[in-house]
Amino acid sequence: MATGKIRYWAAAKEAAGVAEESFDAVTLSELMTKITADRAELARVVRRCSFLVDGAPVGKRPHDEVTLGDGVTVEVLPPFAGG
């Protein structure tokens, strides 16, 4: 089980109610399941988000294939308006 930090930005931060929190998870999929349990608004927001794992974009990779290492930082980035 990896431990790390998840940071929320913009609408994800508002839905989570915190800017960041610690986590224990092996994959990004497991992390998403844990952070959205009993948080319906956050679950709605993260479905539209992109993710960075230690600064590297996850892109379209399946979240169950994105393994999280110890001390990793996951960034949750909602779509941003503007150009």
Side-chain angles (χ1 to χ4, degrees), residues 1-7 20-28 30-31 34-35 53-54 66-75:
M1 182 77 55
T3 60
K5 176 174 38 177
I6 185 166
R7 291 184 183 151
E20 65 181 53
E21 57 190 336
S22 298
F23 71 83
D24 295 316
V26 174
T27 65
L28 184 57
E30 180 184 359
L31 176 57
K34 286 182 172 187
I35 66 164
V53 176
D54 277 345
V66 179
T67 303
L68 304 174
D70 245 356
V72 71
T73 298
V74 176
E75 311 267 353

Side-chain angles (χ1 to χ4, degrees), residues 4-68:
K5 176 174 38 177
I6 185 166
R7 291 184 183 151
Y8 303 101
W9 298 97
K13 179 179 171 181
E14 185 175 325
V18 295
E20 65 181 53
E21 57 190 336
S22 298
F23 71 83
D24 295 316
V26 174
T27 65
L28 184 57
S29 179
E30 180 184 359
L31 176 57
M32 292 301 104
T33 298
K34 286 182 172 187
I35 66 164
T36 58
D38 299 321
R39 293 162 108 175
E41 181 62 15
L42 183 57
R44 186 186 69 76
V45 171
V46 298
R47 282 193 294 269
R48 300 176 299 153
C49 290
S50 58
F51 302 91
L52 300 176
V53 176
D54 277 345
V58 169
K60 297 191 183 291
R61 289 183 288 160
H63 293 174
D64 61 345
E65 294 179 9
V66 179
T67 303
L68 304 174

